[in-house]
Amino acid sequence: MLKDVRDISLFSAIAGADSLSAAARQLGLSLAVVSKRLNQMEQQLGVRLFHRTTRHISLTDEGQIFAIHAARLLDEFDAVENALSSRKGNVSGTLRITATHSLGRRWLMPIVSDFMQQHESLKLQFNFSDEVIDLAESGFDLAIRFGALNDSRLVARELAPNRRVLCASPAYAERCGLPQSFHELAVHTCIGIGESAVVEWFFGAGEEQQSIMVNPRYRVNNGEAAHELALRGAGITLKSLWDVADDLRSHKLIEVLPHQPLSAAPLHAIWLNGRHQPLRVRLFVAQLKTALQSAWHNRVLSQ
């Protein structure tokens, strides 16, 4: 019999992480404390919940059974928290979010600011990074990202549509012309985002999806830098419509290959699978979805 119901949240954090050290960082506890509490849990229950190696942990059969019931219990605790919080009108703690520079600065900061003003007891930690942050390692509640998931540890909730475009400046178009098919991108100057020397750009969807490998002349690790290079006529880059819609409308940028659309990459809120989400996170995601969908239709797509 468990003696401390907080151990259910401890178990959930460990189950969502790759290692005890990652779970300890999420919980703000030392590795020794997490290991001791897990050992106590297993002794109290009389079963082993995790297989452990020096690098990774995984659920045993008994651990998988416990995980199902733990999730139900956390849902019940959620219901109690919701009922009490709604009566008091209180949301507290620290909201920890990571997102790309351009999306975070332009679109998310106003929404975050409104949310924080509604909940005066709340604190914020916001990380601006174009790198994909490991949520298990970093302890962030949410990542706001474009595109699909490649990690089974994560859960994604779609927030708003998005369309990616290839774009270049009128000066580049006048100097170098524009490609008439995606295969012609190989002979154009391209601007890549990320560390890879070769960038793969995807067109179409489903069975009709195709891709082209591009060897960019420019490589930057920041989407805003790629945007600025494109505005200055350096070459062709791939950007979200959220980032470049205004420049396309004002003709500072030209859409390249508009009749050969790139694969869709909707905007998602992403969190660790199995992690108990506090009320502040759930309320913020709901408000974020409403605000971003309104912005997409009324501002990004506006003529």
Side-chain angles (χ1 to χ4, degrees), residues 191-265:
I191 305 163
I193 303 172
E195 301 297 331
S196 177
V198 178
V199 177
E200 188 173 15
W201 288 342
F202 292 90
F203 295 79
E207 295 181 355
E208 297 182 357
Q209 186 179 75
Q210 301 180 62
S211 67
I212 181 74
M213 304 300 293
V214 176
N215 186 3
R217 182 185 178 196
Y218 297 87
R219 280 187 289 154
V220 296
N221 66 349
N222 180 286
E224 290 185 317
H227 188 177
E228 183 63 26
L229 284 168
L231 286 169
R232 291 178 176 272
I236 299 170
T237 194
L238 185 154
K239 291 293 295 177
S240 163
L241 199 58
W242 287 90
D243 296 333
V244 298
D246 286 347
D247 291 325
L248 292 172
R249 278 192 291 269
S250 64
H251 307 294
K252 292 179 181 178
L253 291 174
I254 300 170
E255 185 173 355
V256 176
L257 300 174
H259 302 300
Q260 293 184 315
L262 290 143
S263 298

Side-chain angles (χ1 to χ4, degrees), residues 42-265:
E42 291 180 328
Q43 290 172 8
Q44 292 165 12
L45 294 169
V47 296
R48 194 169 183 82
L49 299 172
F50 293 95
H51 299 294
R52 301 171 180 78
T53 68
T54 55
R55 290 180 177 270
H56 298 288
I57 57 175
S58 60
L59 288 167
T60 63
D61 290 344
E62 291 78 10
Q64 291 176 4
I65 293 171
F66 187 81
I68 295 171
H69 293 282
R72 292 174 182 166
L73 286 171
L74 290 174
D75 285 342
E76 291 297 323
F77 291 146
D78 272 352
V80 174
E81 181 186 27
N82 287 342
L84 295 176
S85 295
S86 62
R87 289 181 66 87
K88 296 187 298 180
N90 289 341
V91 175
S92 59
T94 301
L95 183 62
R96 297 177 175 88
I97 308 168
T98 177
T100 63
H101 287 83
S102 55
L103 180 75
R105 179 181 56 81
R106 180 173 182 188
W107 296 104
L108 300 186
M109 280 297 98
I111 302 169
V112 168
S113 177
D114 288 345
F115 187 76
M116 295 294 289
Q117 289 179 38
Q118 294 167 23
H119 305 287
E120 295 183 353
S121 298
L122 193 62
K123 295 181 180 180
L124 172 71
Q125 179 185 354
F126 201 108
N127 173 269
F128 293 90
S129 176
D130 286 7
E131 300 295 325
V132 177
I133 301 295
D134 188 323
L135 296 183
E137 292 286 337
S138 65
F140 285 104
D141 298 310
L142 290 171
I144 312 301
R145 295 286 173 185
F146 295 111
L149 292 174
N150 295 315
D151 191 334
S152 61
R153 298 175 302 162
L154 302 176
V155 174
R157 178 181 179 186
E158 186 171 327
L159 297 171
N162 174 48
R163 186 165 69 86
R164 285 174 168 165
V165 296
L166 294 176
C167 52
S169 72
Y172 178 86
E174 183 177 352
R175 187 175 74 249
C176 303
L178 294 177
Q180 299 305 304
S181 73
F182 63 81
H183 296 292
E184 293 181 18
L185 287 167
V187 298
H188 277 266
T189 302
C190 294
I191 305 163
I193 303 172
E195 301 297 331
S196 177
V198 178
V199 177
E200 188 173 15
W201 288 342
F202 292 90
F203 295 79
E207 295 181 355
E208 297 182 357
Q209 186 179 75
Q210 301 180 62
S211 67
I212 181 74
M213 304 300 293
V214 176
N215 186 3
R217 182 185 178 196
Y218 297 87
R219 280 187 289 154
V220 296
N221 66 349
N222 180 286
E224 290 185 317
H227 188 177
E228 183 63 26
L229 284 168
L231 286 169
R232 291 178 176 272
I236 299 170
T237 194
L238 185 154
K239 291 293 295 177
S240 163
L241 199 58
W242 287 90
D243 296 333
V244 298
D246 286 347
D247 291 325
L248 292 172
R249 278 192 291 269
S250 64
H251 307 294
K252 292 179 181 178
L253 291 174
I254 300 170
E255 185 173 355
V256 176
L257 300 174
H259 302 300
Q260 293 184 315
L262 290 143
S263 298

